């Protein structure tokens, strides 16, 4: 029976009630060891009337066995696999070892887990419990986290427990949090009395409560650990141990037990499979009888329930294992290896053999390497890293040992454990002599550090290139390509070009991945350095190779789209980004997030704001749910720029503030410049001209000092307009000259249209119309609706000031129509004011779907309007059918429609350019 915890119980009961009603929620219980997290998890199960309860518990010894925790959760639900899409079912079966694993990224399993939980909750509401999340294997924890964050309108409740200080590796952002403190004094006295089986003096209870902080486990253990006189009289004593010191107290208790009981307890503590038949066989191998478990149970160490042997508390297990001599631990693992079948459970058997090894042993090391290979096939990269690390330590041959340490570091990086990857790379570097090995390790370290500190990463990458140049030219070339990209972020354009050219010299010209990387980095650097005539043939060659090699076509679709956009082949860029997005939907969450980011960029370049926001918002949400927080900043800045052009101050500034708080933002010159440019755009849209001038001038100074050329952050056309409209033609002309030098060169077609607009603003009364007409003709060859509308607005304003009201109306009316479609309110209002000044009144347009729906609702509406079922939309967006149904209901209410047919008609009406 749970004592106290009234508020906590009410919180859990409310969470379960909401889940039964169709609102999925996730709660994390946090607190120190022994504070009562497990008891509250048990309470949740007792209150889960009418719900299916699935549970898993992290076990320290199993923390590196990939998907062991997920298997425990999913085992009762496996019959629902038939309700999943074929792709997701195959991914989950492969991860759980039920079938061969397809080649997927590790987050596909999270999407499949989401589908399984959603399918099971259709039959009955579901409670998912995870105890000791800090010890759950990372692959399982990632899958649970992904599902919990993206289930919204489903009958699923998540309650997970994390020990304070141990759960940092498992990001629970997006979970509700309940932090547990100690029991209050009356509840502590009741617990002491129940544990002792007799009344405890009030003074004693008060002091023990103070000394333990009300920690329930510490209080219960006192009954056995303290002498009777302290319980009866409350005699003073030393402060009671809590947390780690409880573990020491457990160890003291273990030390007094019969040696055979201690040996049996150690076998149980070392086991990664707690089934009684496995533990019993291991005890037999250790020369012990199964009856010794009864003695361990009588001593209060373990309990046998449902055919499984478990310790009373995880701290007891840790105390037994850690207090044992190293030789005794090796003996226990050897017994467990003998008891584990090599054909049905090779991973566990190999792991126990590795723990039993006294020194280098190639046979065990090779078996661990095979285990790692199987783990990686199931996307268990962190488990593979652990196995490879242990294999390396058991490897006698030094060259093979370096190779295995290198592979372990790569697997850790693939699994998102960058701290482990860096540690392993550093350890391998201490023994690596071969230049190729050293280059590969330094390349790995440089790539990990690129976003956090590109300046330091640059030095590491350059060292990688130097180390590998003589033995592995491909590795050296890749290192230099990455170094050149770091230079772009840092604004060191001259150095970047040098590195990119050196990479091109080292790379083969065989059309392979190194060849493509060299052309891509050199072409991008040339364009960014204002030398597009040199960069264009380089990027064209990269594009040809990207499209020629069927083995690299799909993975490089996003890169292909970027190249096409830089080459101003916007329609092809959009089609390629859409293809990349379509291929990733419902299959590869990471690839989808990257493809959506690219799609957002090409839509923005084309002035298609609503689809850009839809794609970018989905990318941000997905990246957050995947735990890729450091990849969010660039997307947020791009979304903020769209809101700036639309004049939406609150959301624009909020997104910029979030981006600036993320790792890597301040070390990225183009990102910082784009954020400042967005603030200038916002000020301009809202008519705050002095602020706009300050922002644009600062951006121009930073970019010019770095020698950076970029159409996305070229403030000169804005300064030309501001100064020309304000009558300061000298400053306007200086800005125009700088534009011709810096901004127009990387994008000739787009730059030519803006150049003609600037010329129209600067021309005298006899020449401005011809320049504006030329600008409009150039705009007609481009898809950028926003730039076109800005040119029409400037032309119309100039015509109106010249007294040509009828001619002005045509331009202003068409500018107003485009701004309305783009939902650029301040700009539409400016066009409306100008039209009123010509004598024409114009009503505000009726809001389209893009005005009324959130980006997620609009994404769902578009998918449904294309004829997909709720289940198909759910699979495409990595959501559940119930969540789609919930959002679709809101779409219908907002748009005041009642059927899918009406939605299709409405979306078709709104699907106009922009």
């Amino acid at each position: 029976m749970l004592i106290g915890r009234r508020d906590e119980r009410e919180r859990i009961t409310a969470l379960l009630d909401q889940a039964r009603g169709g609102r999925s929620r996730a709660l994390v219980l946090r607190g120190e060891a022994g504070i009562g997290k497990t008891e509250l998890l048990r309470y949740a199960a007792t209150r889960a009337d009418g719900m299916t309860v699935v549970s898993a518990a992290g076990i320290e010894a199993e923390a590196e066995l990939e998907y062991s925790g997920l298997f425990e959760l999913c085992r009762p639900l496996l019959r629902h696999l038939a309700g999943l899409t074929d792709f997701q079912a195959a991914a989950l079966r492969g991860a759980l070892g039920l079938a061969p694993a397809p080649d997927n990224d590790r987050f596909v399993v999270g999407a499949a887990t989401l589908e399984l939980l959603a399918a099971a909750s259709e039959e009955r509401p579901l409670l998912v419990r995870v105890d000791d999340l800090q010890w759950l294997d990372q692959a399982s924890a990632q899958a649970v986290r992904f599902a919990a964050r993206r289930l919204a309108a489903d009958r699923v409740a998540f309650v997970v427990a994390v020990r304070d200080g141990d759960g940092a590796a498992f990001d629970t952002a997006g979970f509700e949090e309940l932090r547990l403190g100690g029991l209050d004094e009356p509840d502590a006295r009741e617990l002491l009395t129940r544990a002792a089986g007799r009344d405890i003096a009030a003074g004693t209870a008060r002091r023990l409560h103070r000394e333990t902080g009300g920690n329930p486990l510490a209080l219960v253990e006192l009954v056995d650990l303290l002498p009777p006189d302290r319980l009866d009289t409350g005699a003073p004593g030393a402060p009671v141990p809590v947390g780690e010191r409880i573990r020491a107290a457990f160890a003291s208790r273990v030390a007094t037990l019969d040696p055979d009981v201690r040996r049996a307890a150690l076998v149980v503590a070392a086991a990664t499979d707690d089934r009684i038949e496995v533990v019993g066989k291991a005890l037999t191998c250790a020369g012990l009888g199964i009856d010794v478990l009864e003695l361990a149970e009588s001593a209060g160490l373990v309990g046998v329930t449902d055919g499984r042997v478990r310790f009373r508390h995880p701290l007891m297990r840790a105390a037994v294992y850690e207090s044992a001599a190293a030789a005794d631990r090796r003996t226990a693992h050897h017994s467990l290896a003998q008891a584990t079948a090599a054909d049905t459970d090779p991973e566990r058997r190999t792991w126990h053999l590795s723990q039993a090894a006294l020194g280098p042993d190639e046979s065990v090391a090779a078996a661990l390497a095979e285990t790692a290979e199987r783990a990686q096939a199931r996307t268990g990269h962190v488990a593979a890293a652990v196995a490879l690390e242990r294999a390396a330590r058991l490897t006698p041959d030094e060259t093979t040992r370096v190779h295995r340490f290198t592979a372990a570091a790569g697997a850790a990086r693939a699994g998102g454990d960058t701290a482990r990857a860096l540690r392993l790379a550093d350890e391998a570097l201490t023994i690596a002599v071969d230049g190729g090995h050293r280059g590969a390790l330094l390349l790995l370290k440089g790539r990990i550090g690129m976003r956090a500190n590109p300046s330091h990463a640059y030095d590491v990458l350059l060292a990688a290139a130097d180390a590998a140049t003589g033995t592995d030219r491909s590795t050296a070339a890749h290192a230099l390509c990455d170094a050149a990209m770091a230079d772009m972020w840092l604004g060191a354009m001259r150095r970047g070009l040098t590195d990119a050219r050196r990479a091109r010299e080292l790379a083969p010209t065989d059309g392979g991945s190194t060849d493509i990387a060299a052309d891509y980095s050199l072409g991008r650097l040339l364009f960014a350095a204002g030398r597009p005539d040199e960069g264009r043939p380089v990027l064209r060659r990269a594009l040809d190779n990207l499209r020629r090699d069927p083995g690299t076509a799909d993975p490089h679709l996003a890169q292909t789209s970027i190249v096409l956009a830089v080459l101003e082949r916007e329609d092809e860029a959009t089609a390629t980004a859409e293809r990349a997005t379509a291929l990733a939907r419902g299959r590869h969450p990471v690839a989808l997030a990257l493809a959506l980011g690219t799609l957002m960029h090409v839509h923005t370049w084309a002035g298609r704001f609503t689809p850009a926001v839809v794609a970018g918002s989905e990318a941000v949400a997905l990246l957050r749910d995947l735990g890729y927080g450091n990849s969010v900043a660039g997307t947020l800045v791009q979304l903020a720029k769209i809101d700036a052009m639309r004049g939406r101050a609150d959301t624009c500034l909020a997104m910029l503030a979030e981006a600036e708080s993320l790792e890597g933002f301040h070390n990225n010159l183009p990102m910082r410049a784009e954020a400042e440019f967005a603030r200038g755009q916002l000020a301009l849209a809202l008519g705050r001209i002095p602020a706009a001038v300050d922002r644009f001038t600062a951006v121009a100074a930073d970019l010019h000092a770095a020698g950076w050329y970029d159409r996305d952050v070229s403030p000169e056309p804005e300064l030309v307009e501001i100064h020309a409209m304000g009558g300061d033609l000298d400053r306007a002309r200086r800005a125009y000259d700088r534009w011709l030098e810096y901004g127009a060169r990387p994008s000739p077609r787009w730059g030519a249209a803006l150049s003609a607009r600037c010329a129209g603003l600067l021309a005298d009364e006899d020449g401005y119309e011809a320049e504006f007409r030329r600008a409009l003709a150039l705009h007609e060859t481009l898809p950028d609706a926003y730039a076109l509308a800005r040119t029409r607005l400037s032309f119309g304003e100039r015509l109106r000031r010249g007294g040509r009201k009828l001619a002005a109306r045509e331009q202003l009316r068409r500018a107003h129509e485009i701004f309305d479609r783009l939902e650029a309110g301040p700009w539409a209002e400016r066009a409306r004011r100008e039209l009123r000044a010509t004598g024409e009144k114009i009503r505000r347009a009726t809001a389209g779907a893009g005005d009324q729906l959130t980006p997620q609702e609009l994404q769902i509406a578009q998918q449904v309007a294309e004829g997909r079922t709720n289940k198909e939309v759910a699979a495409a967006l990595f959501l559940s059918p119930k969540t789609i149904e919930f959002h679709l209901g809101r779409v219908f209410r907002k748009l005041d429609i009642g059927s899918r047919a009406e939605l299709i008609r409405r979306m078709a009406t709104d699907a106009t350019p922009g």
Side-chain angles (χ1 to χ4, degrees):
M1 177 182 175
L2 187 63
I3 295 173
R5 305 291 189 197
R6 178 179 176 181
D7 291 345
E8 292 88 344
R9 286 183 286 164
E10 288 180 352
R11 181 90 172 265
I12 289 171
T13 300
L15 177 141
L16 296 174
D17 287 342
Q18 286 187 309
R20 290 188 191 94
R23 181 186 171 192
S24 183
R25 290 177 59 190
L27 176 69
V28 57
L29 307 174
R30 288 191 183 273
E32 64 182 355
I35 202 66
K37 303 182 294 295
T38 300
E39 288 302 317
L40 283 171
L41 286 172
R42 292 191 183 113
Y43 173 79
T46 66
R47 301 296 298 173
D49 300 330
M51 303 179 77
T52 300
V53 180
V54 294
S55 305
I59 299 174
E60 202 166 7
E62 294 187 5
E64 311 302 351
L65 292 175
E66 81 286 346
Y67 297 119
S68 56
L70 189 64
F71 184 76
E72 288 299 306
L73 283 177
C74 294
R75 183 165 48 185
L77 309 176
L78 291 178
R79 60 192 176 84
H80 295 286
L81 280 171
L84 274 60
T85 61
D86 291 343
F87 183 84
Q88 305 290 18
L92 195 53
R93 286 191 181 97
L96 300 181
L98 303 175
D103 182 18
N104 295 316
D105 68 58
R106 68 188 190 276
F107 292 104
V108 173
V109 180
T113 301
L114 181 155
E115 277 205 32
L116 182 71
L117 298 180
S121 71
E122 290 282 339
E123 180 179 272
R124 293 183 75 196
L126 186 64
L127 168 62
V128 179
R129 302 187 309 161
V130 182
D131 200 0
D132 284 319
L133 178 65
Q134 74 278 356
W135 288 333
L136 199 70
D137 66 279
Q138 191 170 6
S140 296
Q142 287 174 338
V144 171
R145 181 185 63 195
F146 185 85
R149 285 175 168 175
R150 295 186 74 79
L151 287 169
D154 299 85
R155 300 189 301 170
V156 184
F158 295 83
V159 185
V160 303
V162 179
R163 183 182 300 181
D164 267 345
D166 290 332
F170 300 108
D171 177 16
T172 51
F175 284 57
E176 301 172 44
E177 183 168 302
L178 183 55
R179 185 166 291 279
L180 303 183
L183 297 175
D184 60 24
E185 188 177 320
D187 290 335
R189 184 178 181 187
E190 181 182 348
L191 181 62
L192 282 167
T193 298
R194 183 177 299 173
R198 56 194 172 100
D199 288 337
I200 301 296
T204 299
R206 188 178 307 114
R207 185 167 55 257
L208 297 180
H209 174 264
R210 183 177 63 252
E211 292 173 349
T212 62
N215 183 292
L217 179 62
L219 290 166
V220 169
E221 292 306 315
L222 286 176
V223 175
D224 293 329
L225 295 176
L226 294 181
D229 63 314
R230 282 201 66 191
L231 292 177
D232 292 335
T233 66
V240 175
V242 179
E244 289 303 310
R245 285 174 289 179
I246 293 178
R247 188 183 306 198
F250 281 152
S252 297
R253 177 185 296 182
V254 171
T256 66
L257 297 172
D258 177 86
D260 283 351
V261 175
R262 289 204 305 272
R263 289 173 60 204
L266 180 56
V267 169
V268 177
T272 57
D273 187 339
D274 59 8
R275 289 176 298 165
I276 186 68
E277 58 267 29
V278 175
V279 173
K281 188 174 180 180
L283 291 173
T284 300
C285 295
L288 298 168
I290 190 72
D291 57 329
V292 77
L293 281 180
E294 294 181 2
L295 297 176
E297 193 170 23
S298 299
L301 267 68
V302 302
V304 181
T305 307
D306 299 327
R308 295 180 178 271
V309 187
R310 288 172 177 157
F311 280 89
R312 283 179 45 222
H313 193 277
L315 286 179
M316 178 67 82
R317 180 181 197 140
V320 168
Y321 192 82
E322 292 174 9
S323 64
D328 292 336
R329 289 201 295 265
R330 288 194 296 271
T331 299
H333 281 292
H334 183 72
S335 299
L336 285 160
Q338 289 179 291
T340 305
D343 55 343
T344 59
D345 204 349
E347 283 85 0
R348 289 183 198 270
R349 185 174 188 276
T350 300
W351 184 252
H352 286 304
L353 285 173
S354 73
Q355 295 298 96
L358 182 60
D361 186 326
E362 177 56 30
S363 64
V364 177
L368 281 166
E370 291 178 8
T371 293
E373 188 175 341
R374 288 192 293 270
Q376 286 187 296
R378 295 198 295 269
T379 69
H381 300 296
V382 173
V386 173
L388 284 165
E389 178 182 358
R390 182 65 177 158
R393 299 194 189 287
L394 293 175
T395 300
D397 178 72
E398 189 168 276
T399 300
T400 306
R401 185 160 67 251
V402 171
H403 175 75
R404 285 171 177 162
F405 268 128
T406 304
R413 183 187 180 223
D417 191 344
T418 56
R420 186 192 297 269
L422 288 171
R423 175 178 60 78
L424 290 168
D426 283 336
E427 186 164 356
L429 283 167
T430 64
I431 56 175
V433 176
D434 177 76
H437 279 145
R438 294 189 63 80
L441 289 162
L442 289 167
L443 175 58
L444 174 68
K445 287 189 64 177
R447 285 177 168 173
I448 290 173
M450 274 279 278
R451 186 167 293 276
N453 190 339
S455 181
H456 174 67
Y458 175 82
D459 294 335
V460 177
L461 290 164
L462 214 60
D466 291 342
T469 296
T471 56
D472 189 344
R473 291 168 64 93
S474 179
T475 294
H478 277 290
L480 287 166
C481 288
D482 287 352
M485 299 308 290
D487 283 325
M488 282 184 64
W489 290 358
L490 294 166
M493 305 307 297
R494 183 176 299 176
R495 189 178 71 182
L497 270 176
T498 299
D499 293 329
R501 291 190 189 281
R502 186 178 162 201
R504 182 59 276 175
E505 291 170 1
L506 288 170
T509 54
D510 58 359
S513 61
T514 308
D515 187 11
I516 291 170
D519 276 344
Y520 179 79
S521 62
L522 178 57
R524 290 294 306 275
L525 261 295
L526 285 167
F527 267 85
R531 300 163 74 168
D533 291 342
E534 296 176 59
R536 199 167 288 110
V538 177
L539 284 185
R540 284 172 179 162
R541 184 174 181 276
L543 181 63
D544 289 342
N545 285 326
L546 282 165
R547 289 175 157 176
R548 182 180 298 119
D549 185 351
T552 60
D554 290 349
H556 291 327
L557 280 174
Q559 191 178 37
T560 302
S561 180
I562 292 172
V563 171
L564 287 164
V566 172
L567 294 174
E568 295 190 289
R569 293 160 64 171
E570 294 89 353
D571 290 343
E572 292 176 80
T574 302
T576 304
E578 287 175 340
R579 182 177 171 223
T581 302
L583 286 172
R585 280 214 177 279
R587 292 176 173 265
H588 301 288
V590 175
L592 177 60
L594 297 176
L596 285 166
T598 304
L599 185 60
M600 173 197 65
H601 276 85
V602 296
H603 278 319
T604 305
W605 286 329
R608 294 185 290 265
F609 289 173
T610 295
V613 169
V614 169
S617 299
E618 186 182 356
V620 166
L622 197 53
L623 287 166
R624 285 184 180 133
D625 290 341
L626 294 170
Y628 278 38
N630 60 1
S631 297
V632 170
T635 310
L636 284 172
V637 170
Q638 192 70 210
L639 288 170
K641 192 169 79 170
I642 294 172
D643 271 355
M645 291 185 283
R646 285 173 157 176
R648 298 176 179 178
D650 290 346
T651 52
C652 170
L653 296 176
M655 284 189 284
L656 289 176
E658 182 182 350
E660 289 166 355
S661 72
L662 296 173
E663 181 183 35
F665 175 88
H666 295 284
N667 291 316
N668 191 315
L669 171 67
M671 195 183 299
R672 294 198 314 271
E674 193 156 12
E676 192 72 358
F677 183 73
R679 287 191 168 93
Q681 285 276 8
L682 178 64
L684 178 61
L686 299 179
R688 300 167 184 168
I689 302 304
V693 171
D694 289 345
R695 299 288 187 184
F696 289 140
T697 302
V699 171
D702 287 345
L703 295 180
H704 297 169
W708 176 276
Y709 300 72
D710 189 349
R711 59 163 281 187
D712 283 346
V713 282
S714 296
E716 287 83 8
E718 311 297 357
L719 291 169
V720 169
E721 178 179 324
I722 290 170
H723 294 317
M725 297 290 285
D728 191 341
L729 294 182
D730 287 341
R731 293 180 72 184
R733 288 192 180 96
R734 287 198 298 272
Y736 180 52
D737 290 341
R738 288 195 303 272
W739 162 249
L740 294 178
E741 170 65 19
Y742 287 96
R745 286 166 60 183
S747 302
R749 292 174 56 234
W750 183 82
L754 265 66
S755 297
R757 179 210 294 173
C758 291
L761 287 163
L762 292 169
D764 59 23
E765 290 302 314
D766 294 330
Y768 78 84
E769 183 172 3
E771 295 291 355
F772 274 116
R773 296 288 181 192
R774 182 167 65 88
L776 291 176
L778 290 167
H779 276 301
E780 291 299 327
T781 69
L782 300 167
D784 191 341
Y786 176 75
L788 170 62
R790 291 282 303 276
T791 297
R792 289 196 182 280
L793 176 61
S794 294
F795 187 19
E797 289 173 334
R798 189 80 193 262
L799 287 167
R800 185 191 65 77
R801 288 200 303 273
R804 299 175 60 188
K805 293 184 178 181
L806 289 178
R809 285 175 189 168
E810 178 188 0
Q811 301 302 328
L812 294 170
R813 190 183 303 117
R814 295 175 73 175
H816 177 266
E817 290 171 357
I818 297 173
F819 286 136
D820 254 340
R821 287 202 305 268
L822 294 173
E823 301 169 38
W827 292 103
E829 180 58 32
R830 179 169 156 182
R832 203 163 20 245
R833 287 197 305 268
E834 289 290 328
L835 278 167
R836 284 199 297 269
T838 69
E840 178 172 319
K841 293 183 179 180
I842 186 168
R843 293 185 301 173
R844 293 179 182 272
T846 303
D851 297 281
Q852 298 166 276
L853 305 180
T854 67
Q856 185 177 48
E857 290 166 351
L858 191 57
Q859 177 71 64
I860 290 169
Q862 289 174 342
Q863 293 276 324
V864 171
E866 291 172 8
R868 293 181 175 89
T869 65
N870 284 6
K871 185 174 180 178
E872 290 169 339
V873 176
L877 302 183
F878 298 112
L879 296 169
S880 72
K882 283 290 185 183
T883 299
I884 300 302
E885 182 181 328
F886 170 76
H887 286 296
L888 196 55
R890 297 180 63 175
V891 169
F892 280 18
R893 289 192 295 274
K894 286 183 177 183
L895 300 183
D896 193 26
I897 58 178
S899 69
R900 287 174 178 257
E902 289 181 81
L903 178 62
I904 292 170
R905 287 194 293 272
R906 180 63 180 272
M907 296 303 292
T909 300
D910 289 338
T912 53

